[in-house]
Every structure is written in structure tokens, then in C-alpha cells.
Amino acid sequence: NAGVTQTPKFRILKIGQSMTLQCTQDMNHNYMYWYRQDPGMGLKLIYYSVGAGITDKGEVPNGYNVSRSTTEDFPLRLELAAPSQTSVYFCASSPNDRPSFNEQFFGPGTRLTVL
Amino acid sequence: AQTVTQSQPEMSVQEAETVTLSCTYDTSESNYYLFWYKQPPSRQMILVIRQEAYKQQNATENRFSVNFQKAAKSFSLKISDSQLGDTAMYFCAFMKHVPGSEKLVFGKGMKLTVNP
């Protein structure tokens, strides 16, 4: 299993540009999450999904959109990028059955800079 | 809303020594989970240990153990026989036990350096 994969690893955007951060997991997990990590801070939840076709906002959803058309994929869309969105973005997934139902498995992250 | 506080921003320890990382949290929930995640320089988030609030027994995983004090809302991580590979950021995290809403709330993290 590759686990949770994210692309790209790094990206520089200009203010106002848009992009999609890709996230794929091959563990057949129902739950998927997007977090952002600002320098010197913990992770903050942007959006999450409990299954295909179901998404919900987290703590910091403004400026982002998500979709979940398949179990495997959970892309994060940035519209009109702003410098405040400069951060490292992590995707995670978790199963919804024991014994690991609350363990989140993280991807390697995408470092995004908006200039 | 739940909050997680890690008051020590940075610590260092000598190899083979024992170190304790502190974490406090605030919640009105009675049933929840607590976690310690490790983030080495590679940036990969790795689960170290987890504790279910309804369990009185402290969780242990090899060299890692926790001191869970529910009444005090305290959840510290003890690392025994520290190794160079333990050098990382450590994050304490909280999750409510609400099916369909298993969201993690993270503390700001603490940088641990293990010196040879």
C-alpha cells in the first residue's frame, strides 16, 4: 500500500491564481481530512469527509473548496490564492471501524507559497 | 470548543535519558480520545500513542507512555531511553467521541532535540 499520497510536493502561486491539491489513499478509508500547518503552529482542519459525496467544513474553510466523488480521492481547491494561504497542507485518512478507527494516517504534505 | 495547550515550546535531552512532554486540554465532553503525534524533519505526521478517556489505565507503547489525569485535564508523554531518532516536533491532539465527527484538535507542538 502506498498509503496517503499528495501532489504536488511544492508549489509557488501568484496572488489570485487557483490550484488543486491532490490527495489519494489506497486503504479504502471512509474518512478523509485536509489540514493546514502554519509555521510554529499545530495543524488546523480545513475540510473533512466521512464518505464519497459527503463533505463538511472544519475550523478554517474560507478560501477553499473540496469534493469527494470517490472513496480514494479528496482534492482541495484553492480559488483566488492569497498570501495568507501560504502554508503546508496535509491530507489524512482514517478507517471507521475498530481497532484503528480513530487513527489518522497522514500524507507527506504540500508546501504552498503564495507571492 | 476544545483547546489543547502545550506550554513548553522546546526541550532538549541527552541520549538514553528520560523526558516528559506536557499537554493540557479543555473540554466539557466526557468521552474523548487523546493522541500524541510525532513530526520528524521529514514532515511526516506519525501517531505515537493514543488514550481513550474512559480507560483509567495509562497507555504504553514500547518506550512511550502517558500520564493521563482526567480530572486535571492533563495528558503528558514520557519518552524513556531517548534515541536520536526521537528528535522531532511532538503534537498533542484531542478528538471528541462523536461518530461522524472524528476531528482532531492539535496543540501548537513542542520541539524535542535528543543530543548524542
Side-chain angles (χ1 to χ4, degrees):
Chain A
N1 285 353
V4 180
T5 57
Q6 293 182 239
T7 56
K9 285 187 169 50
F10 305 94
R11 183 72 185 270
I12 297 175
L13 281 182
K14 294 182 179 179
I15 294 172
Q17 286 185 321
S18 301
M19 77 163 293
T20 298
L21 282 66
Q22 300 292 345
C23 174
T24 300
Q25 53 92 8
D26 62 359
M27 297 174 282
N28 200 34
H29 288 169
N30 281 349
Y31 289 28
M32 295 189 74
Y33 308 83
W34 274 106
Y35 295 91
R36 59 177 286 172
Q37 184 180 27
D38 298 330
M41 302 292 287
L43 281 67
K44 292 190 176 181
L45 183 65
I46 305 172
Y47 270 95
Y48 69 102
S49 169
V50 300
I54 307 169
T55 63
D56 206 349
K57 296 178 180 178
E59 184 182 358
V60 289
N62 291 344
Y64 307 94
N65 278 301
V66 293
S67 60
R68 184 97 182 269
S69 57
T70 67
T71 299
E72 295 78 19
D73 300 307
F74 191 40
L76 178 71
R77 178 82 177 161
L78 279 72
E79 305 283 0
L80 299 174
S84 61
Q85 293 178 303
T86 293
S87 190
V88 179
Y89 291 83
F90 288 94
C91 180
S93 71
S94 66
N96 64 336
D97 53 346
R98 285 189 177 271
S100 300
F101 73 100
N102 56 17
E103 177 178 354
Q104 294 189 12
F105 297 80
F106 285 81
T110 294
R111 183 178 294 277
L112 176 67
T113 302
V114 182
L115 300 174
Chain B
Q2 288 72 37
T3 59
V4 177
T5 303
Q6 294 179 251
S7 56
Q8 307 154 300
E10 194 165 352
M11 292 181 73
S12 63
V13 66
Q14 294 299 119
E15 199 174 4
E17 289 185 345
T18 294
V19 62
T20 299
L21 287 59
S22 63
C23 172
T24 58
Y25 59 94
D26 188 27
T27 184
S28 58
E29 303 287 331
S30 59
N31 201 4
Y32 50 86
Y33 306 95
L34 295 163
F35 304 82
W36 279 98
Y37 276 86
K38 168 185 176 182
Q39 186 180 42
S42 66
R43 221 170 55 194
Q44 183 77 42
M45 293 288 287
I46 303 163
L47 177 65
V48 175
I49 197 165
R50 85 185 107 192
Q51 175 79 40
E52 300 184 44
Y54 70 86
K55 290 186 177 178
Q56 292 186 335
Q57 187 173 6
N58 289 324
T60 62
E61 288 285 345
N62 300 315
R63 298 183 295 109
F64 300 89
S65 61
V66 299
N67 184 3
F68 173 48
Q69 302 288 329
K70 191 172 184 179
K73 295 180 182 174
S74 170
F75 183 60
S76 61
L77 173 69
K78 186 172 82 171
I79 305 175
S80 304
D81 186 26
S82 297
Q83 300 176 358
L84 297 179
D86 295 333
T87 292
M89 289 290 295
Y90 286 82
F91 294 93
C92 180
F94 173 98
M95 177 191 287
K96 286 193 296 186
H97 180 51
V98 177
S101 185
E102 284 83 353
K103 297 179 283 187
L104 284 168
V105 176
F106 285 89
K108 290 185 178 181
M110 194 223 70
K111 182 178 180 181
L112 176 68
T113 302
V114 180
N115 298 308

